[in-house]
Amino acid sequence: MSRSPDNILLHLPAEQEQQVQEVFAQLEMRGFPAQHQTPHITITFSPSMSEVVTQRAAELLPALIPASFQRVGTIVFGTKRKQTVAWLLETTDALEMAAREISALNPDGRGPRWTPHLTMGLRLPREIVPDYIRALEELASTQLRELIACRAALWKPRIPELTLLAGAMQQENRD
């Protein structure tokens, strides 16, 4: 059984997170698989995040958060039976360079590569991906064009532990 990796993540403000959750709910009402992930933008992940990577993220990210992201397209990750649909994002050169540096320090990462994205459909059967993308575009074509990363954190799901690296913690307002 595989376990979820440690992640250095960027989180959205509560109101944008709620808007994304509403899109997930509308997609589910149309018969698509439920999406339970908390909306986030991943910088890098590892089975066990190195302290060197976390420390460098804590040095670089505070000056760059909050950060603005523009939605510039929809992409599909994966070539097998299950695929992931995501919004492709662009941000500032400064954040792009910081994320690449953080990723390059991670021995389990992808080197100095970073594809900023927000996952909108996780592990979808390949045959439904075209219909999912069409429905996603219908539901969210005019909203969430700009996303804000209001904080950066290290998430260790196996513990579970969230360590703030930049920005402020949000008040949790969930019932």
Side-chain angles (χ1 to χ4, degrees):
M1 181 172 123
S2 69
R3 63 183 173 107
S4 294
D6 293 353
N7 293 271
I8 295 178
L9 305 173
L10 302 175
H11 290 113
L12 306 178
E15 68 186 47
Q16 284 192 335
E17 187 177 301
Q18 182 58 41
Q19 287 177 291
V20 172
Q21 296 287 0
E22 288 169 10
V23 171
F24 290 163
Q26 291 172 348
L27 286 163
E28 187 178 359
M29 287 188 328
R30 290 186 179 202
F32 293 106
Q35 298 297 307
H36 301 290
Q37 67 271 18
T38 298
H40 65 272
I41 301 161
T42 301
I43 291 180
T44 192
F45 59 90
S46 171
S48 182
M49 191 64 66
S50 159
E51 182 61 35
V52 171
V53 179
T54 302
Q55 183 58 42
R56 189 62 178 142
E59 292 167 4
L60 291 172
L61 296 175
L64 303 171
I65 301 297
S68 175
F69 287 82
Q70 280 64 49
R71 184 161 52 104
V72 295
T74 303
I75 56 176
V76 178
F77 291 108
T79 57
K80 298 186 177 156
R81 173 141 169 60
K82 297 285 186 172
Q83 298 181 337
T84 295
V85 172
W87 283 337
L88 181 63
L89 305 172
E90 288 183 352
T91 190
T92 63
D93 290 344
L95 182 53
E96 177 93 21
M97 290 186 297
R100 288 174 183 271
E101 181 179 335
I102 293 163
S103 182
L105 286 172
N106 179 3
D108 299 313
R110 300 177 59 234
R113 288 184 298 284
W114 184 47
T115 306
H117 66 278
L118 184 75
T119 298
M120 294 303 295
L122 192 59
R123 290 187 283 277
L124 300 170
R126 179 189 333 183
E127 58 274 5
I128 72 166
V129 167
D131 290 335
Y132 193 91
I133 291 171
R134 266 191 297 279
L136 179 60
E137 183 60 25
E138 285 173 20
L139 293 169
S141 65
T142 59
Q143 61 184 5
L144 296 165
R145 286 286 183 198
E146 179 186 30
L147 300 168
I148 302 298
C150 64
R151 74 172 184 257
L154 171 63
W155 171 235
K156 294 182 174 185
R158 70 187 179 283
I159 298 178
E161 177 183 85
L162 185 73
T163 304
L164 184 68
L165 301 174
M169 293 303 269
Q170 301 180 116
Q171 293 288 41
E172 293 302 319
N173 198 8
R174 299 180 184 160
D175 297 320

